[in-house]
Amino acid sequence: MFQTTAYSDDKVKDYERLLKQLTALSEDETDAIAILSNASALLNQFLDDVNWVGFYLWKNDELVLGPFQGLPACIRIAYGKGVCGTAIKEGKTQRVEDVMAFPGHIACDSASQSEIVVPMSVDNGIYGVLDIDSPIKNRFDETDQIYLEKFARELERLVR
């Protein structure tokens, strides 16, 4: 089964390994919740300096809390509200260096200082978002964004 991996100091190489682990864990699974649950656990184990990793899923014109790792979170987020709702509205990743400076930020965990949210779509429709918070300002860089977007694209393929 799955074993914790010791990652190297090569961020790109480590992200490439992470993508392979996601595929290996999920390739033969058909249940989306099971796939997303393992994906959040995998990311939580992989990423340093994060305090929340999870998904919000699009249901009835709003984002609803899905599988996650971390403290209890906001259950529903309206379209266009907060970082997650903005990611859906704009259809692009939101990489926020300082959440307190983000207009309309929804503070589910007061320890969160920075956030990255990657929108996900399946069959040309909104599926949800991958949401990751950190207690450190400016935690996420361009490499994180590139590879978390690749991670989300792989999940879109797996949950179809």
Side-chain angles (χ1 to χ4, degrees):
M1 202 66 191
F2 183 79
Q3 294 181 357
T4 301
T5 300
Y7 295 97
S8 70
D9 289 330
D10 183 336
K11 193 174 193 175
V12 170
K13 181 179 172 183
D14 290 344
Y15 265 117
E16 291 292 341
R17 181 179 297 141
L18 176 74
L19 291 169
K20 289 177 184 174
Q21 288 175 325
L22 173 65
T23 302
L25 276 171
S26 308
E27 191 68 53
D28 296 326
E29 182 53 60
T30 59
D31 186 272
I33 296 301
I35 292 168
L36 295 174
S37 295
N38 263 347
S40 64
L42 184 62
L43 280 171
N44 193 55
Q45 181 267 325
F46 171 75
L47 294 167
D48 292 326
D49 301 319
V50 298
N51 58 323
W52 202 90
V53 176
F55 299 91
Y56 280 91
L57 305 177
W58 189 248
K59 296 180 181 182
N60 301 319
D61 298 325
E62 65 182 345
L63 290 165
V64 179
L65 183 63
F68 71 93
Q69 301 278 309
L71 294 175
C74 303
I75 294 176
R76 296 178 185 276
I77 300 174
Y79 177 83
K81 300 297 181 188
V83 181
C84 292
T86 300
I88 290 296
K89 182 178 180 182
E90 295 182 3
K92 67 179 187 177
T93 298
Q94 303 294 304
R95 192 172 80 215
V96 181
E97 295 178 3
D98 180 356
V99 295
M100 299 308 170
F102 189 90
H105 174 254
I106 301 168
C108 294
D109 180 348
S110 62
S112 295
Q113 296 293 311
S114 63
E115 184 171 7
I116 188 165
V117 178
V118 181
M120 297 172 61
S121 63
V122 172
D123 298 329
N124 297 316
I126 298 169
Y127 185 79
V129 298
L130 165 59
D131 180 17
I132 305 172
D133 295 357
S134 173
I136 298 170
K137 288 183 182 176
N138 200 22
R139 158 62 182 84
F140 305 102
D141 63 18
E142 186 176 351
T143 300
D144 293 307
Q145 181 172 339
I146 289 166
Y147 279 94
L148 291 170
E149 287 172 345
K150 288 182 180 187
F151 192 90
R153 298 301 79 84
E154 177 65 5
L155 282 170
E156 290 168 346
R157 183 186 73 77
L158 292 165
V159 299
R160 280 197 153 78

